[in-house]
Amino acid sequence: MNAIRRTVLATAAAAALLAPFAGFAADIKPRLIRFGYGLNEDSNQGRAAKFFAQQVEKNSGGKMKVRAIGAAALGPDTQMQQALIGGAQEMMVGSTATLVGITKEMALWDTPFLFNNAKEADAVLDGPIGTKVMDKLQDKGLVGLAYWENGFRNLTNSKRPVQKMEDLDGIKLRVMQNNVYLDSFKTLGANAVPLPFSELFSALETKTVDGQENPYNTILSSKFYEVQKYLSVTNHVYSPWIVLVSKKWWDGLSKDEQKVLADAAKASRDFERKDTREEGAKALADLKAKGMQINELPASEAARMRDKLTKVNASIGTQVGMDLWNETQASLAKLRGAKK
Ligand code: TK8
């Protein structure tokens, strides 16, 4: 077989493989997708972003290419959200908490102690309530594809072990740029300061702030243990990440292209949750080995904090709408009542 004939055959075979992608004209360049995120490449977020990129490339037969760009190189969450809305960037993954200024219903996920465990979080986020909240983004120029796990958040600081609520007095605590977090930690007595995640390490290092709260995985991957001595196990809230697409850009894709992205977002969600949970299960021992001093709150103190924190619930209900709030509570009651 001569070279030309081989090329023709190979091209025909490739075309046959790509036949389901009616929207992919053979002569167009691959679609380049900038996918930004805030954590390091070597983190649960970074590993899942890489997995997402591989899925998209594979399932589009190389017609769509994802450049995963981590460490907030494209800017902090809020800046990327605006770039997506304006169409200057295609995709990102970030906190739902920083989206509250755009879509108020996202504050539902900031409710302290909303979920008791990851199973409840998965059921609500992947079910009709999670979808309903996610779909609210569309009016604001964003398309949500999947919730990934950031995880249950725990408190670290450089001043002292937090054993009781009063230990938070005067602690300058970085929180996400979100009113529920700000109110929650002010209610507990901390001096809460909103800061983008990208500025957090240096703020801790220079003691501009004394503490922060994030899941074990992030405390590990962002090396917060280098600048934080104390970790108090509080699990005060379960925090999701959300995979977002610029609606402006999304609307110009073919149905097949949209499906490639939606499928890859879901596959990477499953990959990410598994990876996060595996890493999270041993992270506490790792952090201890790195020199952090870890304390559990006595049950009575945990209950006191919980009680204080749930006082912010009324304002969250008002913010997200009482129908959504009640529907969520009913769904959780049903999950909790369900036979194991
Ligand atoms: C990463 C952030 C991070 C979040 C935070 O960009 O800001 O503390 O937990 O994961 O979204």
Side-chain angles (χ1 to χ4, degrees), residues 107-220:
L108 182 61
W109 315 129
D110 303 326
T111 307
F113 304 105
L114 182 66
F115 301 128
N116 286 337
N117 51 53
K119 214 171 157 192
E120 288 183 5
D122 292 356
V124 174
L125 290 165
D126 300 345
I129 296 171
T131 306
K132 192 190 279 182
V133 172
M134 194 182 259
D135 288 349
K136 299 270 180 206
L137 292 166
Q138 299 238 3
D139 296 340
K140 308 292 164 113
L142 295 168
V143 177
L145 294 185
Y147 293 102
W148 289 1
E149 173 157 295
N150 188 354
F152 284 99
R153 302 177 79 92
N154 291 291
L155 201 68
T156 69
N157 83 95
S158 55
K159 289 254 170 172
R160 53 181 169 262
V162 173
Q163 314 263 23
K164 54 181 188 309
M165 213 174 346
E166 288 71 18
D167 293 333
L168 278 168
D169 280 355
I171 289 204
K172 253 187 140 182
L173 188 82
R174 176 271 178 176
V175 292
M176 291 188 279
Q177 294 147 296
N178 170 294
N179 61 328
V180 178
Y181 277 82
L182 204 56
D183 290 351
S184 296
F185 283 98
K186 282 188 172 162
T187 303
L188 290 180
N191 179 2
V193 223
L195 264 188
F197 184 83
S198 50
E199 289 170 28
L200 181 52
F201 186 90
S202 86
L204 293 168
E205 192 176 32
T206 57
K207 302 247 165 34
T208 307
V209 294
D210 306 313
Q212 64 89 43
E213 41 83 56
N214 254 300
Y216 299 146
N217 307 66
T218 300
I219 300 170
L220 198 58

Side-chain angles (χ1 to χ4, degrees), residues 318-330:
T318 313
Q319 186 169 343
V320 305
M322 281 322 282
D323 286 350
L324 179 62
W325 177 266
N326 291 333
E327 190 185 345
T328 310
Q329 294 303 327

Side-chain angles (χ1 to χ4, degrees), residues 30-45:
R31 285 212 190 257
L32 195 63
I33 302 158
R34 282 157 300 176
F35 184 100
Y37 61 95
L39 266 55
N40 300 321
E41 225 173 281
D42 188 13
S43 68
N44 53 342
Q45 199 177 47

